[in-house]
Amino acid sequence: MSNLSDFDIKRFRYLDADGMLLQPLPKSLNNRALLVNLYHTLLITRLFDEASINLQRTGEIGTYASSRGQEAIGTAIGTAMLPEDVFIPYYRDIAAQIQRGVLLEEILQYWGGDERGSHFKHQANDFPLCVPIATQFCHAIGIAFALKYKNKPNVAVVTCGDGASSKGDFYESLNIAGAMSLPTLFIVNNNQWAISVPLSRQTASKTIAHKALSVGIDALQVDGNDVIGMLISINKALEQIRLTNKPYLIEAITYRLGDHTTADDASRYRDQQEVDNAAMKEPLIRFKRFLCKEYSWTEAEDQQLYTHAQQQIEAAVKSYKKIPDQQPNAFFNFMYLQLPTELAEQRQSFIDGLKHHE
């Protein structure tokens, strides 16, 4: 009997949980300004998260999905992608979105229930956040096919959580991407919990990355709390995809420190000791320790950066609150170029009903 394939998955990281370098930085990353910019993205994502939860609690936005403890993944994605690549995000990708030109007030507008927040002023290529689980993978392979058909040297980068890897859309999309050699980078945010279902109950697969091997896609598992390891891995994956036109999958191992969304109470199904242990490995503090040790980052610099990030967020919140309300019947207007007769009648009935209640 012969061995037909090697099913080993490599695990990769650069920074340990204490922010210590495990190997020398590549020359391209040995740049203080670049590293501080990474830290700024981690920090503003964390602070924006906190501000958004406060806005939800006071009724100024709707249900919100926190990315606390998972910021390194989106930070690396946004840094690595070319402007002409296409990003197809899921609902914990704020760090990547803000680097791709999406305004903080647009993100608040979306979570406030106003779909106009998905019509990005400065980003025409990327897709809006996707809430239905794993459906964005189907969109991504269509985009990748278009990029390949047009002979563009660009990549469709799509993200999901570990729960999405149990969906048919996930498997079907990987299979088509592998069979048709589509330039797609699949990044799975394995934060250990699909709402209240732990990873151990989601799959018997040794890793999520192993699922890619079954359809002929190269895959790697990375410490998702290590922003440097994530950035290097994504850069290499994108380079390989551009050279070969073949897809790639990265499984980023992290942990969801908060509730699934503001509509969830994770204390009902999760042990607090587990959360406390995971918090000791989170990306923001880890990266700050690295900067302090390797690049003489000071508390004065840290406070200055913190203040600047807070000011950016406060300005975005003020802008969001000034946005005029969307017309109540606007949701009828954007499905069809020309509204079918029956929907036009429904819209008029809806408008008449609003007038009656007023």
Side-chain angles (χ1 to χ4, degrees):
M1 182 180 293
S2 59
N3 183 20
L4 296 178
S5 59
D6 182 1
F7 285 99
D8 287 337
I9 290 290
K10 294 181 180 178
R11 293 177 175 86
F12 186 79
R13 71 171 177 170
Y14 253 77
L15 292 180
D16 69 12
D18 295 318
M20 300 289 290
L21 272 174
L22 301 175
Q23 50 190 311
L25 279 180
K27 290 183 179 180
S28 60
L29 293 184
N30 190 10
N31 180 310
R32 194 178 195 268
L34 183 152
L35 296 169
V36 169
N37 191 54
L38 290 176
Y39 182 52
H40 174 260
T41 304
L42 291 170
L43 180 62
I44 197 170
T45 304
R46 176 69 60 85
L47 295 177
F48 179 79
D49 222 43
E50 294 172 357
S52 298
I53 292 172
N54 289 337
L55 288 170
Q56 189 278 331
R57 298 306 190 207
T58 55
E60 293 178 273
I61 64 171
T63 300
Y64 176 78
S66 170
S67 58
R68 184 179 182 85
Q70 301 159 79
E71 299 92 347
I73 299 169
T75 297
I77 292 170
T79 304
M81 290 178 67
L82 295 179
E84 298 79 12
D85 293 333
V86 182
F87 186 43
I88 306 94
Y90 90 126
Y91 47 80
R92 298 193 204 278
D93 281 320
I94 289 170
Q97 282 192 301
I98 61 178
Q99 292 180 93
R100 302 279 296 163
V102 179
L103 302 176
L104 294 176
E105 52 263 44
E106 290 174 332
I107 298 171
L108 290 173
Q109 191 176 6
Y110 170 81
W111 289 109
D114 188 338
E115 292 291 343
R116 293 175 300 174
S118 296
H119 185 57
F120 309 131
K121 183 178 180 180
H122 302 300
Q123 176 50 260
N125 289 336
D126 292 355
F127 274 46
L129 294 180
C130 188
V131 173
I133 305 302
T135 56
Q136 69 272 25
F137 272 51
C138 303
H139 305 154
I141 59 172
I143 295 163
F145 179 87
L147 292 172
K148 183 177 181 179
Y149 181 78
K150 295 179 179 180
N151 292 315
K152 292 190 173 183
N154 300 114
V155 179
V157 180
V158 60
T159 58
C160 72
D162 47 288
S165 71
S166 300
K167 298 283 286 185
D169 307 67
F170 175 88
Y171 290 102
E172 292 160 12
S173 299
L174 262 64
N175 186 57
I176 293 173
M180 299 183 69
S181 295
L182 301 179
T184 319
L185 176 56
F186 303 100
I187 300 178
V188 181
N189 178 344
N190 181 357
N191 64 23
Q192 313 301 313
W193 288 92
I195 309 183
S196 59
V197 181
L199 184 66
S200 60
R201 290 178 56 194
Q202 293 180 56
T203 181
S205 181
K206 187 176 180 181
T207 71
I208 292 175
H210 276 85
K211 298 182 180 186
L213 301 184
S214 66
V215 293
I217 295 179
D218 289 342
L220 179 70
Q221 192 181 75
V222 185
D223 183 344
N225 290 347
D226 170 11
V227 69
I228 293 176
M230 283 298 306
L231 180 56
I232 292 172
S233 300
I234 294 171
N235 276 332
K236 288 182 178 179
L238 289 172
E239 181 181 2
Q240 179 175 318
I241 294 168
R242 296 188 211 282
L243 288 173
T244 65
N245 242 11
K246 294 182 178 181
Y248 198 96
L249 183 141
I250 293 175
E251 178 188 2
I253 305 298
T254 182
Y255 192 89
R256 194 192 78 211
L257 291 178
D259 299 324
H260 174 69
T261 69
T262 50
D264 175 45
D265 178 6
S267 66
R268 297 177 62 186
Y269 55 81
R270 200 167 60 175
D271 181 69
Q272 186 58 43
Q273 186 61 51
E274 176 186 310
V275 180
D276 294 341
N277 291 340
M280 297 173 67
K281 305 173 185 176
E282 62 105 326
L284 183 62
I285 295 175
R286 179 188 302 201
F287 197 67
K288 179 182 176 180
R289 288 171 178 163
F290 159 73
L291 285 178
C292 292
K293 177 176 174 55
E294 300 291 337
Y295 290 90
S296 303
W297 183 252
T298 67
E299 284 301 320
E301 289 177 300
D302 201 67
Q303 186 57 50
Q304 185 178 15
L305 193 68
Y306 183 99
T307 301
H308 176 59
Q310 283 283 30
Q311 289 171 344
Q312 289 178 278
I313 293 166
E314 289 169 5
V317 171
K318 288 180 181 178
S319 295
Y320 163 67
K321 291 181 178 181
K322 291 179 181 178
I323 297 172
D325 290 340
Q326 188 176 28
Q327 291 298 314
N329 62 311
F331 62 87
F332 285 98
N333 299 338
F334 304 105
M335 181 64 73
Y336 299 94
L337 180 63
Q338 184 173 350
L339 201 64
T341 302
E342 61 271 22
L343 284 183
E345 292 172 353
Q346 287 183 34
R347 179 174 63 181
Q348 188 58 50
S349 177
F350 181 79
I351 292 171
D352 293 341
L354 288 175
K355 290 178 181 178
H356 173 74
H357 288 295
E358 287 174 359

